[in-house]
Amino acid sequence: MANHATNLSQKHLAVLIDADNAPAAIVEGLFEEIAKYGVASVKRIYGDWTVPQLGGWKKVLLDHSIQPIQQFAYTKGKNATDSSLIIDAMDLLYTRRFHGFCLVSSDSDFTRLATRLREEGLTVYGFGEEKTPKPFVSACDKFIYTELLREDALLPVNGSAQVDPGVGKAEVAADARKRPKAPIGFIVKILDDIADEDGWANLGTLGANITKLRPAFDPRTHGFKKLSDLIKGHPQTFELQARPVAGGTAVMYARHK
């Protein structure tokens, strides 16, 4: 692969969306999330645009410069869209122009594609609903549940997050009850494994190691904006420390009590 600058803003990503298995309501949050990892150099979406079910996507394609790829359903019950997306992904792979791929679908049929792309040393970011089969989730380097990206999603209510003023207290309380508990025991184990002699570990390194073992881990799923907020939210288990470095910034470290 050609040498590229390591700056995030220069990491070129190919975004491939399965319109049949991704709701249009995620589009704003989707590209905001992708921008955290690099530049969406290619943006393609696959589906049969002659059917009314994709009307929601048609309204947002132009605004986000997403190229629609027409794929007719030649045989009932067969998903030609998947095949078209996979063929394009392999064609893009062999151009050697990309650092990673964003596969937007809740369909496990893309499990092998994700694995193949990673075999070539590329980073794979998966985006799908919480119902996405585990094999596809595990095949990605990082997997983001699209429920967190929807325009109508409730904001986190813990840590430094602010509650949406348009959301009633009862609704917020009900949402908080639905949130799964953070995997504290798992985080503790990872933290202890990478900690220095005094028990401290760099928070960035901690997050990277968690993602390696659980690609779908996301503090937002548990009501926290960031990993640091999750750590702060469990003071009985963790300590958090900011260490200043050159340039006036600070590096966060965590320790298991």
Side-chain angles (χ1 to χ4, degrees):
M1 182 174 180
N3 290 328
H4 293 276
T6 56
N7 190 296
L8 273 180
S9 64
Q10 297 302 313
K11 287 192 174 181
H12 298 288
L13 304 175
V15 181
L16 307 180
I17 306 170
D18 174 11
D20 296 328
N21 286 285
I26 69 170
V27 67
E28 293 285 351
L30 174 66
F31 286 104
E32 288 176 4
E33 187 75 18
I34 290 171
K36 297 177 183 178
Y37 309 114
V39 176
S41 301
V42 167
K43 293 182 282 187
R44 298 179 185 174
I45 185 167
Y46 301 78
D48 184 352
W49 301 101
T50 65
V51 300
Q53 290 88 332
L54 301 186
W57 276 111
K58 290 180 183 178
K59 296 176 183 178
V60 299
L61 297 184
L62 188 60
D63 290 341
H64 295 274
S65 300
I66 309 172
Q67 179 185 3
I69 306 297
Q70 171 62 32
Q71 184 58 59
F72 292 102
Y74 298 115
T75 306
K76 188 175 181 180
K78 299 292 184 181
N79 197 337
T81 298
D82 291 2
S83 299
S84 181
L85 189 156
I86 291 169
I87 290 170
D88 273 10
M90 298 309 294
D91 286 343
L92 293 169
L93 166 66
Y94 290 124
T95 66
R96 306 297 179 186
R97 294 189 291 115
F98 300 94
H99 291 87
F101 280 73
C102 300
L103 304 179
V104 187
S105 179
S106 302
D107 192 340
S108 63
D109 288 348
F110 297 113
T111 300
R112 179 57 185 139
L113 173 61
T115 302
R116 181 69 183 88
L117 294 171
R118 292 181 67 188
E119 287 173 354
E120 290 292 324
L122 301 185
T123 303
V124 177
Y125 303 97
F127 296 83
E129 297 178 343
E130 292 180 1
K131 66 180 182 181
T132 304
K134 188 174 180 180
F136 180 38
V137 174
S138 300
C140 299
D141 290 284
K142 183 171 182 60
F143 197 91
I144 297 94
Y145 289 125
T146 54
E147 283 85 353
L148 298 170
L149 308 179
R150 293 175 62 94
E151 292 181 357
D152 55 354
L154 290 176
L155 295 177
V157 295
N158 294 312
S160 60
Q162 300 295 318
V163 178
D164 186 340
V167 177
K169 291 183 179 179
E171 192 174 359
V172 170
D175 178 69
R177 286 194 297 271
K178 290 189 294 183
R179 297 183 188 277
K181 291 183 178 179
I184 298 302
F186 173 71
I187 296 173
V188 166
K189 183 179 185 305
I190 300 299
L191 180 57
D192 289 344
D193 286 344
I194 65 173
D196 61 20
E197 293 181 356
D198 296 322
W200 293 98
N202 181 289
L203 200 63
T205 304
L206 174 62
N209 278 269
I210 291 173
T211 301
K212 286 178 183 178
L213 295 173
R214 293 192 182 181
F217 173 80
D218 194 317
R220 293 172 294 183
T221 301
H222 310 289
F224 299 89
K225 273 190 174 181
K226 301 177 292 186
L227 179 59
S228 59
D229 293 329
L230 190 155
I231 297 295
K232 288 177 186 176
H234 295 82
Q236 71 281 10
T237 306
F238 302 109
E239 293 180 69
L240 196 64
Q241 182 183 91
R243 299 183 184 180
V245 295
T249 58
V251 176
M252 303 302 293
Y253 283 78
R255 181 168 68 177
H256 172 214
K257 287 185 176 180

